[in-house]
Amino acid sequence: MKIVAISEHDWEDLKKVRLASLLESPAAFGIQLKDAIDYTAEDWMQRASQKQGPRFFIAYMDQIPVGLIGGVFANSEYELISMWVSPESRGYGVGKLLVDTLKENALKEGYRSLILKVSPDNKAAFNLYARCGFRVVGNGGALASDENILLQKMEWSENIRP
């Protein structure tokens, strides 16, 4: 398995894994499949370029994209905004590797902590983040795509290890 920081050349892999994530886990993301499906090739290239907006990393098994993680620098924080592993690839440590990759990227960029927002009802994601050293630090508001899904804010800090 390998984890790759993507570029505009990887836009088709980003599109493939992102659409698969939205189809399989629609309640886990702030964007809906019906919106993402209308993105043009240029939209996907821009998202993959990492020139502005989120930075994405894709996990590959046998050259097939099986997972995704994205982070964005906003409001003086580095936030994990998107994470997904294909159902057939779960249980192999892909999620932990993706989270560790984003932590390393945060540190490389000068951030000593990483935040995220997750529904406590998403037990698999919540438990993964807890195993990766994140702790609940407050209310994260509502999910952008569904105001009925309330989120918790979690934080990982270089100074606080599990």
Side-chain angles (χ1 to χ4, degrees), residues 27-79:
F29 302 102
I31 185 172
Q32 295 182 345
L33 179 63
K34 68 179 180 66
D35 298 320
I37 209 157
D38 290 334
Y39 292 166
T40 65
E42 288 180 8
D43 292 333
W44 287 108
M45 281 186 233
Q46 179 62 37
R47 282 173 172 70
S49 73
Q50 301 198 40
K51 292 179 183 165
Q52 55 181 302
R55 296 179 183 192
F56 290 104
F57 299 83
I58 294 179
Y60 290 88
M61 288 179 125
D62 298 323
Q63 300 181 8
I64 298 169
V66 298
L68 165 82
I69 195 162
V72 66
F73 304 104
N75 303 319
S76 301
E77 294 180 301
Y78 193 14
E79 183 175 358

Side-chain angles (χ1 to χ4, degrees), residues 6-25 29 33 36-37 39-41 43-45 47-48 56-69 82 84-89:
I6 64 167
S7 72
E8 61 272 0
H9 304 293
D10 303 304
W11 72 270
E12 290 175 291
D13 285 346
L14 175 62
K15 178 181 177 180
K16 180 179 180 179
V17 75
R18 187 65 170 139
L19 293 179
S21 72
L22 294 171
L23 180 63
E24 193 269 332
S25 302
F29 302 102
L33 179 63
I37 209 157
Y39 292 166
T40 65
D43 292 333
W44 287 108
M45 281 186 233
R47 282 173 172 70
F56 290 104
F57 299 83
I58 294 179
Y60 290 88
M61 288 179 125
D62 298 323
Q63 300 181 8
I64 298 169
V66 298
L68 165 82
I69 195 162
S82 182
W84 180 80
V85 175
S86 67
E88 51 280 343
S89 300

Side-chain angles (χ1 to χ4, degrees), residues 89-149:
S89 300
R90 293 176 187 163
Y92 296 99
V94 178
K96 182 176 182 333
L97 287 173
L98 285 165
V99 171
D100 288 347
T101 298
L102 200 63
K103 286 179 185 178
E104 290 170 17
N105 185 253
L107 293 171
K108 185 181 98 182
E109 295 291 335
Y111 291 82
R112 298 292 169 237
S113 63
L114 184 61
I115 65 161
L116 61 86
K117 296 172 187 166
V118 64
S119 168
D121 295 334
N122 186 345
K123 298 289 185 202
F126 186 88
N127 291 337
L128 169 67
Y129 298 138
R131 284 192 312 273
C132 289
F134 285 82
R135 59 186 171 80
V136 175
V137 294
N139 182 335
L143 185 65
S145 63
D146 186 341
E147 65 186 32
N148 295 313
I149 298 177

